[in-house]
Amino acid sequence: MAGMVMGKLNYFNYCALAVMAVLLISVAARHMLKGRRNRYFWNLLLIVTSAVVLDIIAVHFDNSGGMYVLEKYVSHCAYLVMVNLAVPVYVIYLACLTDSMYRLRDSIPLQLVLAAPYVVIFELIVTTPFTHLIFYIDDAYNYARGSLYIWLYIVSAFYVSLGVVYALRCNRLFGRGQFLAMLAVFPIMLIALAVQVVHPAFRIEMFAHAIGILFLLFMVQKPEERTNPVTGYGRDFAYASDIEMAVRNQKAIRIILINVLNYKALRDILGYESMTALMNRISEQILSICKKNLPKVDPYYLDRGRFCLMVGKENFAQVENAANLISDMLKKDIFLQGMNINLQVNVCIIKCPEDLNDFQSIYAFSNEFEEYERTGKVLTAEEILKDGRYIIKDIEEIIDNAMNKEGLTVYYQPIYSVKQKKFVSAEALLRLNDEEYGHISPELFIPVAEKNGVIHKIGSFVLEEVCRFIASEEYKQLGMEYIEVNLSVAQCMRSDLAKEITELLEKYHLRPDQINLEITETAASSSQNIMMENIKKLSEGGIPFSLDDFGTGYSNMRRMTTLPLELVKLDKTFTNLQDNPKLESVVRNSVQMIKDMNMKIVVEGIETEDMAKFFSDLQCDYIQGFYYSKPLTKDGFVEFVRKENKK
Ligand code: C2E
Ligand code: MG
Ligand code: MG
């Protein structure tokens, strides 16, 4: 009988213990304990480690010869209870990885299938001291296998096959590396089991478990990629892949977005270390609320002060309350390193699939929410989406669509000359119309286009449209001086910008002073050489430049003096002076300063007669705004100027 073997070898167990110790320490040290996936992995670690320890103890008693009957029974029973628990827990971990735990939770038959075999062998194991069915201590005080011992293997094999079938069914949810790692665990265990059936003296099974889990940690749990070591929250990568998983499983979820709006300002003041400590403190405070209200939450930290909480169905009822509690808590000052820190926070609840139901839009929304202005109350995605400024579909696709289907149009907003008392120029403003979403503001799509490079196509389109318009007969008859065209920062960084514009002017036989290029303060204050070169080249070629949105960004006054600017456009945020005497003083003095530098002034965003009068009296040169006209189509613009300039 195999059970007669004396002198079992514990060496593999010691190795297994070493591996498990490393795993436990590294997982705990990285705070990888938050979120369901991490919790199940941690449970798996604890179960396997205790099985290793119990096996070492059991083998120790086995090898110590006679007596110790009670100790032998207890240690072997405890070991078998633990080691047989590891396999079903592994299957549950798989369900967790595929984000299909909710199916298990909703289905009693599934729970029975999963639990019943273990319950049966559990009872067999704990009663074996009396029944001797699984193992017994024989008359020579040796451990011997009982008649039903084989059932332990059968049940393990059952769970393993369940896991394999499950993984195969869900294989499209994983990358190939992950998928293979998950499956690799099974053959490792099977080989170990086989060895142990034949040679019970080699205690190799636990070592196989340990290696399997090591594999999982690096291939599936991926601590570096998934977990933020500072907060223990999931990272952007984890957030993206978990949303993707939830969408593919058509699982209903709620996401709470928590965004620290003054993150950048705080980081500049506090520096890296204090900022890290602050983010850490915030993450702890958020979790302390979750502990009570959303016990099953998955937390993520997406950098730059953006926290996300993903909540499953079982906690839906508490989401709103928790979001309010978090919002209220973060409104209070945080005391850190002797400073009282005040956060500006936006909190928003997304309901999936009700508000958003595909990966791209959920992910894009989470990113765009960063730029949403502060409201002080808990927002919902529903109301933000109604607002119309936020897009539900992939904006790149919308832009591409618009380019192909003539959804992009250049509008012209007339600009009034105070001295000449007529309209002398216009600003070209892009309009995007989407079949599904209607009009989309350039303030929304230009920044996206800048990031993904589409701005170059868009920019060329606008330039060509404007040049073609200037070359047309109807424009020539209007007696306009020039048309202003907005240049984005990304466009200014293209090495062939000057060439493109010069060629366009040649193609349409235009003088360079028939257009005027608007750059923003960001472009003007940038230290990129290529920008300065472009601006220099173009302005030497005779093209005038304006500084757009003066006063809104970071005004580098010294830099302004070095740029070849002819016009400065006072931003519309400066035009509403009602009851703000200080702002009025800023405006008066800015106007004076710009005049002293020999530049002309365009005031933007004039909406009322009073505003127009105020700036005319200040001797500003040009006025642009809804008071005179909104941006108009080409034909509308021609008609408008013809009529107005005749008066
Ligand atoms: P901007 O260059 O400062 O353009 C002025 C914006 O103010 C326009 O918004 C215009 O419609 C709006 N506006 C004009 N008068 C008034 C007024 O009286 N009251 C108010 N409240 N607003 C007024 P729009 O067309 O939505 O464009 C927004 C921004 O998008 C522009 O700001 C510009 O930075 C950018 N943009 C527009 N077209 C282009 C383009 O062809 N290329 C690039 N790179 N950027 C563009
Ligand atoms: Mg502009
Ligand atoms: Mg502007």
Side-chain angles (χ1 to χ4, degrees), residues 500-570:
E500 182 189 344
I501 295 181
T502 321
E503 282 174 4
L504 265 177
L505 293 178
E506 275 169 21
K507 180 174 166 191
Y508 290 96
H509 310 289
L510 305 181
R511 294 190 319 274
D513 63 356
Q514 285 182 288
I515 61 167
N516 174 309
L517 298 176
E518 291 188 5
I519 53 172
T520 59
E521 290 187 0
T522 331
S525 63
S526 160
S527 56
Q528 297 288 324
N529 289 337
I530 180 73
M531 267 185 205
M532 279 311 285
E533 262 170 49
N534 273 333
I535 295 172
K536 223 176 117 212
K537 248 193 243 166
L538 287 164
S539 108
E540 279 168 6
I543 297 179
F545 273 85
S546 332
L547 186 67
D548 201 358
D549 304 342
F550 174 78
T552 55
Y554 159 74
S555 300
N556 187 329
M557 299 284 178
R558 211 194 74 76
R559 188 130 200 136
M560 255 179 80
T561 62
T562 62
L563 287 166
L565 295 169
E566 302 208 348
L567 273 175
V568 172
K569 301 191 75 168
L570 200 61

Side-chain angles (χ1 to χ4, degrees), residues 413 427-431 441-443 446 450 455 458-459 462 485-488 491 518 520 548-549 569 571-572 604-607 624-627 629 631:
Q413 188 175 29
E427 176 172 6
L429 292 162
L430 195 55
R431 293 291 172 264
S441 161
E443 275 174 34
I446 297 275
E450 285 202 308
I455 190 69
I458 294 182
V462 174
V485 180
N486 290 286
L487 273 193
S488 76
Q491 277 174 288
E518 291 188 5
T520 59
D548 201 358
D549 304 342
K569 301 191 75 168
D571 189 71
K572 50 181 175 283
E604 287 186 283
I606 296 297
E607 293 183 353
Q624 173 184 358
F626 295 169
Y627 171 61
S629 169

Side-chain angles (χ1 to χ4, degrees), residues 41-95:
F41 188 72
W42 180 250
N43 288 343
L44 199 57
L45 285 185
L46 290 182
I47 291 169
V48 173
T49 310
S50 47
V52 173
V53 172
L54 289 166
D55 198 27
I56 290 175
I57 296 172
V59 169
H60 177 77
F61 283 122
D62 283 353
N63 288 348
S64 51
M67 308 298 191
Y68 301 118
V69 176
L70 180 65
E71 287 86 345
K72 282 177 184 169
Y73 269 119
V74 171
S75 59
H76 277 285
C77 280
Y79 162 71
L80 288 175
V81 163
M82 278 300 169
V83 75
N84 285 293
L85 184 59
V87 192
V89 169
Y90 180 71
V91 176
I92 295 176
Y93 169 70
L94 261 185

Side-chain angles (χ1 to χ4, degrees), residues 40 101 151 217 241 259 316 614:
Y40 277 102
M101 275 299 279
W151 274 95
L217 178 70
S241 57
N259 195 2
F316 276 8
F614 177 85

